[in-house]
Amino acid sequence: MVKQMSIEISPLTGILGARADGVTLSSSMDPDLVAAVRLALVENEVLVIPGQDLSPAEQAGFSHLLGAYSPVPFVQPVPEHQEVIKVVKEASEPDAFNFGGVWHSDFSFLEAPPAFTVLHALDVPSVGGDTVWSSMTAAHDALPDDVRDALDDVVAVHTASASYSPAQQELHAGLSGMNIRTSESAHETRRHPLLVTHPESGKRSLFFNGTYVRGLHGKGIGDGTESGGREERRLLRWLHDFTTHVRFTFRHRWSNGDVVLWDNRTTQHVALNDYGGLRRELNRTTVAGSAPVA
Ligand code: SIN
C-alpha cells in the first residue's frame, strides 16, 4: 500500500486496477491531491474511488481538473448538465442492448479520443452489472517479439458505423432512459497507429478495440476497408481475442457512490448485461485526450 498525503492507493490485481481511499472528489480539490489521483490513474489504468456523492455539475467540475471536456457524439446529455450522460437501463428493459455492452475504448473513432472516463454509480443492481477492463499495456508487453515487430507499422481504421449509424437506431431504442441519436456521420473513419506510446507515462500500448476498429492497414495485411481481406479479418479477430483475454483483466462489482476512473489510452472495457429485471444507473463524463502517437 502506498500512502500519498491522505490518499491511500491499493492495487486490486497484479495487472491493472487500484482502489483509492481517503479522497473526496469535488471541483475544488487540492491540486496536489488531483495530481496524486491522476498519477494513480495513469499508473494503474483503472482507479476505484468508493463513497462519493457528486451532482452532475460537481462530476463535470471534478472532471475539468483532469482536463477539458471531451465532446460526446450520438448520446444526448442529461438535462441538468450538457457534459454529463446517463448510462441507464430500467428493470423493465431486460432484453435491451446494454450501453457499453461490447469490448471498446470510449469513442476511439474520434481524432482525439478521450483520455479518461469518469463513471459514477447512482443506482446499481444487487447482483450483476459489473464492468470489466482489459489492460492494453499488459497485452502489448505479452506480444511475442516477432508479432510486435510485425504490428509496428500497422494503422487501425476506427469508425462508429457498427454502433451509431442509422441502421443501429433500433438497437438503442430499447433504452428508455437514454437518448441515443444515430447519424450518417458514424460512417466516418479515422486512422490511428495500432501500437502507441502513452503521452504521460511513456508506456507502450495496443490502441485496439474490436467494436470501433473495423479495418487494418499495413504491409501484407489489407486495405483498411470494412470488407477487408482474409488476413485482415483474421488479424482483427486475433487481436480481439488476444487483447481481451482474461489474464489481462480487472472486474469491478459496483456499489452506489463508487466513482471509477479509467484511462482509455491503455484499456478496453465492457459492461456486463447480466442483471435482467434490475435497474442500473450511472453518470458519465469524459476528459479530452490527444491524437494517439506511434
Ligand atoms: C461505458 O462503456 O461507458 C459504460 C460502462 C458501464 O456502464 O459499465
Side-chain angles (χ1 to χ4, degrees), residues 263-283:
D263 191 330
N264 284 296
R265 301 163 296 186
T266 53
T267 58
Q268 291 182 55
H269 61 281
V270 60
L272 302 186
N273 195 2
D274 56 356
Y275 54 99
L278 298 170
R279 187 170 193 274
R280 184 176 187 271
E281 179 190 6
L282 310 93
N283 278 349

Side-chain angles (χ1 to χ4, degrees), residues 85 87-88 98-102 104-107 117-119 129-133 164 178 212 252 254 262 264 269-272 275 280-282 284-286:
I85 65 167
V87 177
V88 58
N98 220 24
F99 181 78
V102 283
H104 67 287
S105 167
D106 288 332
F107 303 146
T117 298
V118 180
L119 194 60
D130 296 1
T131 306
V132 185
W133 289 264
Y164 294 115
M178 294 187 72
Y212 298 134
H252 182 60
W254 291 93
W262 64 87
N264 284 296
H269 61 281
V270 60
L272 302 186
Y275 54 99
R280 184 176 187 271
E281 179 190 6
L282 310 93
R284 192 182 103 164
T285 44
T286 32

Side-chain angles (χ1 to χ4, degrees), residues 7-10 12 16-21 23 25 36-42 44-50 117 119 133 250 259-263:
I7 184 172
E8 281 179 13
I9 307 294
S10 319
L12 294 169
L16 80 163
R19 173 184 166 119
D21 288 291
V23 190
L25 300 177
V37 166
R38 187 184 192 100
L39 186 66
L41 170 56
V42 168
N44 295 284
E45 304 181 349
V46 180
L47 191 63
V48 178
I49 310 182
T117 298
L119 194 60
W133 289 264
F250 158 66
V259 169
V260 178
L261 304 133
W262 64 87
D263 191 330

